[in-house]
Amino acid sequence: MSRIKIKTLLSDSALYLDSTIEVKGWVRSKRGNKHVAFIALNDGSTILTFQIVCDTQTFSEEMLKDVTTGACIKAIGKVVASQGAGQSVEMQATSVEVIGKADPETYPLQKKGHSLEFLREIAHLRPRTNTFSAVLRMRHAMAFAIHKFFNDKGFFYIHTPIVTGSDAEGAGAMFQVTTLDLNNVPKVEGKVDYTQDFFGKATNLTVSGQLEGELGAMALGEIYTFGPTFRAENSNTTRHLAEFWMIEPEMAFYELVDNMNLAEEFLKYVIRYALDHCIDDLKFLNEMYDKELISRLESVTQHPFVRLTYTEAVEILKSSGHKFEYKVDWGTDLQSEHERYLVEKHFKKPVILTHYPKEIKAFYMKLDEDGKTVKAMDVLFPGIGEIIGGSQREDNLEKLTARCAEVGIHESDIWWYLETRKFGSAPHSGFGLGFERLMLFVTGMGNIRDVIPFPRTPKNAEF
């Protein structure tokens, strides 16, 4: 007899009515009286549980003593119409076998209502809770939707390096990769001799696949990357991780407006996908964590994003009368509180800000005609702030090398990047979306550590 997944069983219950089937999963709860026992079984395929009814004339108390919360069991029985509310069918069991016990005295999830902080300490077990099984199923669905969106638009998925010799952001907060003996580091004139290291030069874990992605776009036209990235920032906020995933499309012949159009279409597509394919999980998260989650997701898909320049945004913020913790002036980098004010208070919808001062943006962004601003764009979302950052890339070699000199980047470090402006240069654009920030938005969770299976943060790499 083949196992039937609970999601399949409940979504097409009429097909299985009056049939004898086998299910396997983990016990969420067991209750009952002297006549009958009710087992709520979950197998991870859905947030919903399947009720297994055990008549005590068939099953003695001794036979069911190891059927405790967290135990893994196999049950065989007949599918019948449910007598209670909550689901259309249940099983009248003829056989229940305990595959793996869970000692009720030591199993950490024996009781409900654990805090999210506690669950982070047992990241190896938290996927068994309703909350984290919902988040992980949605994480899968969002990853699938991302690949489907770009594939259906004719983009090519390329794998950019995780180990790199360049710093795409110029931020410096990178994890070094080395095979040198840290107890006996070779040095020349007081400096580390990286010629003796594995790659013969200093290397790090990547902060972005963008620069290499641009190389692909200059040959394939439209590409995207989707992979892990790393930042060695000593930050313990609810919005930062040391290891996270990024989606970074790069498109030849796209100018800034094309980039904005794609970003808006992309976000609406993946959010619509969540609403269409993850509704059971969304209903649970809506009920437990964020009563406005589903309505907010619907709203984002139904209305055009507001588009305005950085300069216009600064004027709105300065004249708002709102007391901000950080002062706003032209030339300052907008903080999350400023971004969220624009989205949540002023416009009450997502915003795309463009044309930022060049001093607060990366060297590779294309200069505007005024020489003061760049063709940048940030997409701002309610509850999140910046969810996408992107730009039209500088395709003029002379201007790009001048910007490198301004910010202190040596041409020898990115000669390969500059060469794409020598040979067949073309206008091109791209953006980056932090996958975990998207997950925060679509799940309604409040801490980025709760939307990735095993969070990597300062002093935390346990699992």
Side-chain angles (χ1 to χ4, degrees), residues 77 149 277 307 312 332 441 454:
F149 173 82
H277 295 86
R307 302 184 182 191
E312 292 168 328
T332 60
F441 185 74
F454 304 102

Side-chain angles (χ1 to χ4, degrees), residues 254-401:
Y254 271 51
E255 298 190 5
L256 183 62
V257 67
D258 306 305
N259 206 23
M260 289 191 284
N261 291 341
L262 180 73
E264 181 169 347
E265 180 188 1
F266 171 55
L267 286 168
K268 287 181 174 179
Y269 177 94
V270 294
I271 292 169
R272 185 74 255 165
Y273 191 93
L275 288 163
D276 291 344
H277 295 86
C278 307
I279 194 61
D280 288 334
D281 290 322
L282 282 173
K283 285 179 178 177
F284 170 80
L285 295 168
N286 193 93
E287 177 63 26
M288 296 299 294
Y289 294 99
D290 186 344
K291 303 293 185 185
E292 298 178 354
L293 174 60
I294 293 176
S295 62
R296 187 165 58 250
L297 296 181
E298 289 283 4
S299 177
V300 167
T301 66
Q302 293 168 1
H303 299 100
F305 296 179
V306 175
R307 302 184 182 191
L308 71 160
T309 66
Y310 166 91
T311 300
E312 292 168 328
V314 168
E315 289 305 314
I316 290 171
L317 293 166
K318 291 179 70 173
S319 62
S320 68
H322 186 84
K323 187 175 181 180
F324 295 106
E325 181 180 354
Y326 294 93
K327 186 179 178 181
V328 184
D329 273 315
W330 199 95
T332 60
D333 205 355
L334 298 185
Q335 302 296 314
S336 180
E337 61 172 336
H338 307 137
E339 296 169 341
R340 292 184 62 178
Y341 177 86
L342 293 168
V343 173
E344 298 167 20
K345 303 292 185 184
H346 189 81
F347 291 108
K348 294 182 169 57
K349 61 179 67 175
V351 171
I352 305 179
L353 286 188
T354 62
H355 303 285
Y356 284 76
K358 68 177 183 179
E359 285 79 12
I360 61 173
K361 287 297 182 180
F363 77 96
Y364 49 72
M365 296 187 178
K366 188 171 184 63
L367 278 171
D368 284 316
E369 290 71 20
D370 61 9
K372 298 178 180 179
T373 58
V374 289
K375 296 184 185 299
M377 64 147 208
D378 286 349
V379 182
L380 314 181
F381 259 28
I384 302 293
E386 180 194 332
I387 195 168
I388 276 180
S391 71
Q392 184 172 339
R393 315 311 192 187
E394 183 57 75
D395 56 282
N396 180 282
L397 178 61
E398 183 178 335
K399 291 181 180 179
L400 186 58
T401 53

